[in-house]
Amino acid sequence: MANPFSSAVDAFIDRQGRVCALLILPLSVVVIYEVIMRYVFNAPTIWGFEMTTFLYGLHYMLGLAYTELYNGHVKVDILTARIKKRPATILSIITSLVIFVPIMSLLTFWTWAFAIKSTQMMEKNATSWAPPIWPIKLLMALSFTFLLLQGLSKLFRDLESLKSGS
Amino acid sequence: MSPEVLTVAMFGTLVVAVALGHPLAYTLAGVATLFGLIDNGFNVQMLFNMYANQCWGIMDNYVLVAIPLFIFMAQLLDRSKVAEKLFESLYIVLGSVKGGLGLAVVVVCTVFAATTGIIGASVVAMGLLAAPALVEKGYDKAMTSGIICAAGTLGILIPPSIMMVVYGGLTGLKETSVGNLFAGAVIPGLILSGLYFVYILLRCIINPKMGPPISKEEAGRYSSAQKWAMTMKSLVPPLALIFMVMGTILGGVATPTEAAGLGALGAFILAVANRQLTWRVLKESSYATLRTTAMVMMLFIGGKFFSAVFLRMGGGDVVADLLIGSGLSKWTIVCIMMLIVFIMGMFVDWAAILLVTVPIFMPIVLELEIDPLWFSMLMCVNLQTSFLTPPFGYALFYFAGVAPKGYDMMTIYRGIVPFVVLQLIGLFIIAVFPATITWLPNLFFGR
């Protein structure tokens, strides 16, 4: 039934999303640890603040594709809820081709360019901890790549159901 | 093209594109890209470099860290059955009053609104638990759905609230810091909750058929001492959580982000204490947290692209000139902005509205020397209606998804109307009496 590309992408994103969803646990732990160190022991860490934003950023970015897989990105279905399945699928294919595919392809490409530039400079944060931030930027670009793949998977599924459901 | 033409065209395109049913976040980014390219002479590299920087800026924003943490807290709390226990004891305590079960829903929702920052959870929990109980006791069906949807959405308004985290993260103004917004929203939230409470009580006293009391035997099964003990036992955990989160923020001990972390810890402890926490529950809470967080953050990304392009091509000035140059009074301008938000709320959810309107409205508010905190709170109360106003109120859909048999959308629509009116009355009250908003922030943070 499903085409091999969509099946593979969906299975991969589902697994990837479930693993990355667990990033909420270290995120919570780091925030709580920092609070305790600062207010109870009066000994703030130098890394807590930045570590928190890294984990938070990676958590939602790596979840974008997973959320797309579960149709979690809100849409206004004022029109699509009222039309039959076939025209709705056609509309979904068109909006995907006109909006999603071009935007996400360009965004993926340019965030890679952005991340590679940072990698070549081995960019670090200008703070006392001075953590490297190029790996985070690479993961940001990777997140958009995942989202693009997931969107393409949905597009192919729509095309397939259009062909088979006539 | 002149900025005026571009502004009108950009909004026109957005309205049409949104109606096509594509996810809002992508649509915002798409419209932004189209007009960004027209405006900058089709320089793809420049536009997408700006986008990449924007994305990085959002990832690097410490204030927004509170969003996943508050969502995680709500997910854990939702599975800890604390709300269910509170409703069960209030069922007995308030049940013998006319309309008492409706009042119990309002109280439970208000208490839980003060512990969680999202909605959905409480509307679903109450829809599953309270709606069958109320309908079975002969409560008016339309009113029942109205109570649950309206009271359930208080979660987005009564702090902590991810709506205010988004707002604070978006404006970056000192006056509308997340702490100030939280403090400012306490009294408006309680005013709304009070309005719901009084409305239900009056309506059921005038017409007891709307909400009959539970039978004497059912109410008489427990002595009043037992009732008190039950209530206290079920109230202490959420109150402790409220103290842990709001107490540390208002006391200036923790930032909202840190308080959100503490809240997640508190919810985790409550779930363990109620023997509800397994590895499976923890995993499922994490998955649900990620889906909600990523949805909000993708909207943040798309909305940021949209407002950046819009402001860059001079759209903000066009709107400002139109409103300020019109010679209308401050009040009229505020009313127009509120009306725009209210109408958008019928179709789009709060996050998209915030992300599109706030960057345009705030400069106007500052130029007119309107108190930004007062204005922001009007926005937040107004945005709560975006969950409630037909045809597209998300709370109504959440409720419809879990409602007992025999509910149709028309009944739910009918039931919500009086509560939307109450909401507008609440908006009017806080607009006319700004002290309801500013008193607490002044008290705690000495603004």
Side-chain angles (χ1 to χ4, degrees):
Chain A
M1 163 85 193
N3 66 75
F5 173 78
S6 296
S7 306
V9 168
D10 289 5
F12 170 73
I13 295 295
D14 198 22
R15 178 158 294 199
Q16 171 263 324
R18 278 164 197 261
V19 172
C20 295
L22 299 180
L23 282 171
I24 191 70
L25 302 174
L27 173 61
S28 309
V29 170
V30 170
V31 170
I32 295 161
Y33 180 82
E34 176 71 12
V35 173
I36 295 173
M37 290 310 283
R38 170 131 30 108
Y39 296 108
V40 181
F41 298 102
N42 202 16
T45 63
I46 58 162
W47 49 267
F49 186 82
E50 284 155 287
M51 196 64 178
T52 304
T53 55
F54 290 163
L55 286 169
Y56 135 87
L58 294 178
H59 172 250
Y60 77 81
M61 283 304 291
L62 288 164
L64 294 179
Y66 176 70
T67 306
E68 173 62 33
L69 173 65
Y70 284 89
N71 279 320
H73 293 296
V74 285
K75 45 190 99 164
V76 176
D77 46 5
I78 191 162
L79 191 68
T80 44
R82 270 152 232 262
I83 54 180
K84 289 213 176 74
K85 190 161 178 284
R86 199 176 154 81
T89 311
I90 295 173
L91 187 63
S92 156
I93 291 169
I94 294 171
T95 50
S96 176
L97 284 173
V98 174
I99 303 173
F100 183 88
V101 174
I103 302 298
M104 284 306 154
S105 308
L106 286 169
L107 196 57
T108 303
F109 179 82
W110 288 104
T111 44
W112 275 113
F114 178 78
I116 288 167
K117 210 167 107 193
S118 164
T119 310
Q120 280 164 346
M121 300 186 316
M122 290 299 198
E123 194 182 359
K124 284 180 184 153
N125 259 355
T127 54
S128 55
W129 183 37
I133 53 172
W134 55 268
I136 315 282
K137 290 188 175 177
L138 286 174
L139 286 167
M140 173 173 108
L142 187 66
S143 301
F144 282 121
T145 313
F146 287 166
L147 180 58
L148 177 63
L149 285 174
Q150 187 55 53
L152 290 174
S153 155
K154 177 161 188 299
L155 176 63
F156 290 162
R157 269 180 203 279
D158 279 348
L159 285 169
E160 208 173 25
S161 83
L162 200 63
K163 233 191 300 174
S164 65
S166 51
Chain B
M1 270 189 265
S2 72
E4 286 82 6
V5 176
L6 281 175
T7 303
V8 174
M10 194 170 176
F11 267 104
T13 313
L14 182 66
V15 170
V16 175
V18 160
L20 294 176
H22 201 51
L24 268 174
Y26 311 149
T27 306
L28 282 166
V31 175
T33 306
L34 176 65
F35 284 86
L37 290 177
I38 292 176
D39 186 51
N40 78 3
F42 293 90
N43 188 337
V44 178
Q45 177 174 7
M46 191 171 106
L47 186 69
F48 278 84
N49 253 333
M50 180 184 87
Y51 284 175
N53 273 303
Q54 299 266 8
C55 290
W56 178 249
I58 299 169
M59 282 181 82
D60 207 25
N61 187 332
Y62 180 74
V63 172
L64 300 177
V65 179
I67 292 174
L69 292 171
F70 276 132
I71 293 172
F72 188 47
M73 173 185 174
Q75 291 293 345
L76 285 173
L77 207 60
D78 205 31
R79 288 167 171 80
S80 70
K81 307 276 176 218
V82 186
E84 280 80 352
K85 286 193 176 167
L86 185 58
F87 180 74
E88 278 157 20
S89 55
L90 288 178
Y91 178 98
I92 302 294
V93 175
L94 289 170
S96 45
V97 182
K98 286 180 188 125
L101 299 186
L103 303 179
V105 172
V106 175
V107 174
V108 173
C109 287
T110 306
V111 170
F112 279 84
T115 58
T116 67
I118 57 171
I119 83 127
S122 38
V123 174
V124 169
M126 284 294 114
L128 284 172
L129 181 77
L134 266 71
V135 171
E136 192 202 331
K137 296 293 167 212
Y139 275 61
D140 182 70
K141 272 168 77 175
M143 188 181 73
T144 301
S145 60
I147 295 171
I148 292 173
C149 292
T153 37
L154 285 171
I156 198 74
L157 183 65
I158 297 182
S161 146
I162 60 164
M163 176 155 78
M164 284 157 214
V165 178
V166 170
Y167 204 116
L170 194 63
T171 60
L173 285 175
K174 197 168 155 283
E175 286 90 344
T176 54
S177 70
V178 179
N180 272 333
L181 289 171
F182 277 7
V186 173
I187 294 176
L190 291 177
I191 289 176
L192 280 183
S193 162
L195 285 172
Y196 298 163
F197 195 93
V198 171
Y199 167 78
I200 297 166
L201 195 62
L202 287 179
R203 214 158 155 205
C204 294
I205 288 174
I206 294 167
N207 180 5
K209 274 194 199 134
M210 297 289 290
I214 59 174
S215 68
K216 289 246 157 51
E217 304 105 70
E218 203 176 353
R221 253 186 297 174
Y222 301 91
S223 69
S224 49
Q226 271 174 318
K227 285 182 190 171
W228 274 109
M230 270 168 62
T231 313
M232 282 304 129
K233 210 176 137 199
S234 54
L235 253 181
V236 165
L239 289 181
L241 212 52
I242 293 170
F243 178 78
M244 208 161 155
V245 177
M246 286 309 291
T248 50
I249 296 174
L250 295 180
V253 176
T255 63
T257 300
E258 290 167 338
L262 290 175
L265 176 66
F268 182 89
I269 294 170
L270 280 184
V272 172
N274 281 348
R275 297 173 191 282
Q276 299 290 339
L277 198 83
T278 58
W279 174 233
R280 209 186 132 162
V281 166
L282 195 62
K283 274 199 303 192
E284 252 140 42
S285 307
S286 305
Y287 302 157
T289 301
L290 182 57
R291 288 198 290 269
T292 308
T293 308
M295 182 267 281
V296 172
M297 295 313 295
M298 190 64 222
L299 267 176
F300 208 104
I301 294 170
K304 206 66 183 171
F305 291 179
F306 184 89
S307 60
V309 167
F310 187 80
L311 296 177
R312 191 173 274 242
M313 69 183 203
D317 298 332
V318 171
V319 178
D321 289 347
L322 188 70
L323 284 176
I324 299 172
S326 63
L328 294 170
S329 71
K330 280 183 196 179
W331 275 99
T332 318
I333 293 175
V334 170
C335 286
I336 291 173
M337 293 196 246
M338 288 301 136
L339 189 66
I340 292 172
V341 170
F342 184 79
I343 292 173
M344 286 174 86
M346 293 180 178
F347 304 98
V348 198
D349 79 327
W350 63 270
I353 302 174
L354 260 192
L355 290 156
V356 171
T357 59
V358 168
I360 302 170
F361 287 171
M362 277 323 254
I364 299 175
V365 166
L366 294 176
E367 189 164 333
L368 289 174
E369 295 180 343
I370 294 169
D371 181 358
L373 181 61
W374 174 78
F375 178 79
S376 303
M377 210 45 66
L378 296 189
M379 286 284 284
C380 290
V381 172
N382 197 344
L383 280 169
Q384 198 204 329
T385 60
S386 75
F387 285 102
L388 305 176
T389 40
F392 284 88
Y394 284 86
L396 311 179
F397 292 143
Y398 289 133
F399 181 82
V402 296
K405 269 196 196 129
Y407 260 105
D408 58 47
M409 226 41 219
M410 277 326 285
T411 311
I412 300 175
Y413 283 164
R414 211 172 60 231
I416 201 63
V417 173
F419 290 92
V420 173
V421 174
L422 289 174
Q423 191 90 20
L424 294 176
I425 294 173
L427 186 61
F428 181 76
I429 294 174
I430 62 163
V432 177
F433 302 104
T436 53
I437 296 165
T438 53
W439 182 66
L440 267 184
N442 289 343
L443 187 68
F444 281 104
F445 302 121
R447 253 191 344 130

Short mmCIF file of all heavy atoms in Angstrom, two decimals, chain B residues 102-127:
data_model
loop_
_atom_site.label_atom_id
_atom_site.label_comp_id
_atom_site.label_asym_id
_atom_site.label_seq_id
_atom_site.Cartn_x
_atom_site.Cartn_y
_atom_site.Cartn_z
N GLY B 102 -21.84 22.65 38.57
CA GLY B 102 -21.25 23.63 37.65
C GLY B 102 -20.22 24.48 38.39
O GLY B 102 -19.14 24.75 37.88
N LEU B 103 -20.60 24.87 39.62
CA LEU B 103 -19.67 25.67 40.42
C LEU B 103 -18.41 24.88 40.74
O LEU B 103 -17.31 25.42 40.72
CB LEU B 103 -20.35 26.13 41.72
CG LEU B 103 -21.65 26.93 41.53
CD1 LEU B 103 -22.23 27.30 42.88
CD2 LEU B 103 -21.40 28.18 40.70
N ALA B 104 -18.61 23.58 41.02
CA ALA B 104 -17.45 22.73 41.31
C ALA B 104 -16.49 22.71 40.12
O ALA B 104 -15.27 22.79 40.29
CB ALA B 104 -17.90 21.31 41.65
N VAL B 105 -17.05 22.63 38.90
CA VAL B 105 -16.20 22.64 37.71
C VAL B 105 -15.40 23.95 37.65
O VAL B 105 -14.20 23.95 37.38
CB VAL B 105 -17.04 22.46 36.42
CG1 VAL B 105 -16.18 22.67 35.19
CG2 VAL B 105 -17.67 21.09 36.40
N VAL B 106 -16.08 25.07 37.92
CA VAL B 106 -15.40 26.36 37.86
C VAL B 106 -14.26 26.41 38.89
O VAL B 106 -13.14 26.85 38.57
CB VAL B 106 -16.38 27.54 38.09
CG1 VAL B 106 -15.63 28.86 38.15
CG2 VAL B 106 -17.42 27.57 36.99
N VAL B 107 -14.53 25.92 40.10
CA VAL B 107 -13.49 25.96 41.14
C VAL B 107 -12.31 25.07 40.75
O VAL B 107 -11.15 25.49 40.81
CB VAL B 107 -14.06 25.53 42.51
CG1 VAL B 107 -12.94 25.43 43.54
CG2 VAL B 107 -15.11 26.52 42.98
N VAL B 108 -12.61 23.84 40.32
CA VAL B 108 -11.51 22.94 39.94
C VAL B 108 -10.69 23.55 38.81
O VAL B 108 -9.45 23.56 38.85
CB VAL B 108 -12.07 21.55 39.51
CG1 VAL B 108 -10.95 20.69 38.95
CG2 VAL B 108 -12.73 20.86 40.67
N CYS B 109 -11.39 24.08 37.81
CA CYS B 109 -10.66 24.66 36.67
C CYS B 109 -9.83 25.86 37.09
O CYS B 109 -8.74 26.07 36.57
CB CYS B 109 -11.63 25.06 35.56
SG CYS B 109 -12.30 23.64 34.69
N THR B 110 -10.35 26.68 38.00
CA THR B 110 -9.60 27.85 38.44
C THR B 110 -8.34 27.42 39.18
O THR B 110 -7.25 27.94 38.93
CB THR B 110 -10.47 28.74 39.35
OG1 THR B 110 -11.67 29.04 38.66
CG2 THR B 110 -9.75 30.02 39.71
N VAL B 111 -8.48 26.45 40.08
CA VAL B 111 -7.32 25.97 40.83
C VAL B 111 -6.29 25.39 39.86
O VAL B 111 -5.10 25.69 39.97
CB VAL B 111 -7.75 24.91 41.87
CG1 VAL B 111 -6.52 24.23 42.47
CG2 VAL B 111 -8.59 25.55 42.96
N PHE B 112 -6.76 24.60 38.90
CA PHE B 112 -5.80 24.00 37.98
C PHE B 112 -5.26 24.97 36.96
O PHE B 112 -4.15 24.78 36.45
CB PHE B 112 -6.36 22.72 37.36
CG PHE B 112 -6.19 21.61 38.33
CD1 PHE B 112 -7.10 21.41 39.34
CD2 PHE B 112 -5.01 20.88 38.32
CE1 PHE B 112 -6.88 20.47 40.30
CE2 PHE B 112 -4.79 19.94 39.29
CZ PHE B 112 -5.73 19.72 40.28
N ALA B 113 -6.03 26.03 36.68
CA ALA B 113 -5.50 27.07 35.81
C ALA B 113 -4.28 27.71 36.45
O ALA B 113 -3.36 28.14 35.76
CB ALA B 113 -6.57 28.12 35.54
N ALA B 114 -4.29 27.76 37.79
CA ALA B 114 -3.17 28.37 38.50
C ALA B 114 -1.99 27.41 38.62
O ALA B 114 -0.95 27.78 39.15
CB ALA B 114 -3.62 28.84 39.88
N THR B 115 -2.16 26.18 38.16
CA THR B 115 -1.01 25.28 38.18
C THR B 115 -0.51 24.97 36.78
O THR B 115 0.64 24.61 36.61
CB THR B 115 -1.36 23.92 38.83
OG1 THR B 115 -2.43 23.34 38.11
CG2 THR B 115 -1.76 24.10 40.27
N THR B 116 -1.35 25.10 35.77
CA THR B 116 -0.88 24.75 34.43
C THR B 116 -0.96 25.95 33.50
O THR B 116 -1.71 26.88 33.73
CB THR B 116 -1.69 23.61 33.78
OG1 THR B 116 -3.00 24.08 33.54
CG2 THR B 116 -1.71 22.40 34.65
N GLY B 117 -0.19 25.87 32.46
CA GLY B 117 -0.10 26.99 31.55
C GLY B 117 -0.77 26.75 30.22
O GLY B 117 -0.66 27.56 29.31
N ILE B 118 -1.42 25.61 30.06
CA ILE B 118 -2.06 25.36 28.77
C ILE B 118 -3.50 24.97 28.97
O ILE B 118 -3.94 24.74 30.08
CB ILE B 118 -1.36 24.24 27.97
CG1 ILE B 118 -1.31 22.94 28.77
CG2 ILE B 118 0.02 24.67 27.55
CD1 ILE B 118 -0.84 21.76 27.97
N ILE B 119 -4.25 24.92 27.90
CA ILE B 119 -5.60 24.38 27.98
C ILE B 119 -5.59 23.11 27.16
O ILE B 119 -4.59 22.72 26.61
CB ILE B 119 -6.68 25.34 27.46
CG1 ILE B 119 -6.78 25.24 25.95
CG2 ILE B 119 -6.40 26.75 27.89
CD1 ILE B 119 -8.17 25.00 25.52
N GLY B 120 -6.73 22.54 27.02
CA GLY B 120 -6.76 21.28 26.31
C GLY B 120 -6.83 20.22 27.36
O GLY B 120 -7.83 19.52 27.49
N ALA B 121 -5.77 20.17 28.18
CA ALA B 121 -5.76 19.22 29.28
C ALA B 121 -7.00 19.36 30.15
O ALA B 121 -7.73 18.40 30.34
CB ALA B 121 -4.51 19.41 30.10
N SER B 122 -7.27 20.56 30.65
CA SER B 122 -8.38 20.66 31.60
C SER B 122 -9.74 20.53 30.92
O SER B 122 -10.67 20.01 31.52
CB SER B 122 -8.29 21.95 32.42
OG SER B 122 -7.85 23.00 31.63
N VAL B 123 -9.87 20.99 29.69
CA VAL B 123 -11.14 20.82 28.99
C VAL B 123 -11.40 19.33 28.76
O VAL B 123 -12.51 18.83 28.98
CB VAL B 123 -11.16 21.58 27.65
CG1 VAL B 123 -12.43 21.27 26.88
CG2 VAL B 123 -11.04 23.07 27.89
N VAL B 124 -10.35 18.62 28.38
CA VAL B 124 -10.50 17.18 28.14
C VAL B 124 -10.79 16.45 29.45
O VAL B 124 -11.71 15.64 29.54
CB VAL B 124 -9.23 16.62 27.45
CG1 VAL B 124 -9.25 15.10 27.44
CG2 VAL B 124 -9.12 17.16 26.04
N ALA B 125 -10.02 16.78 30.50
CA ALA B 125 -10.21 16.10 31.78
C ALA B 125 -11.62 16.34 32.31
O ALA B 125 -12.31 15.41 32.74
CB ALA B 125 -9.17 16.59 32.79
N MET B 126 -12.07 17.59 32.26
CA MET B 126 -13.41 17.91 32.76
C MET B 126 -14.49 17.35 31.85
O MET B 126 -15.55 16.92 32.31
CB MET B 126 -13.58 19.43 32.89
CG MET B 126 -12.87 20.02 34.07
SD MET B 126 -13.58 19.47 35.64
CE MET B 126 -12.24 18.52 36.31
N GLY B 127 -14.22 17.35 30.56
CA GLY B 127 -15.20 16.79 29.63
C GLY B 127 -15.42 15.31 29.88
O GLY B 127 -16.53 14.80 29.77
#
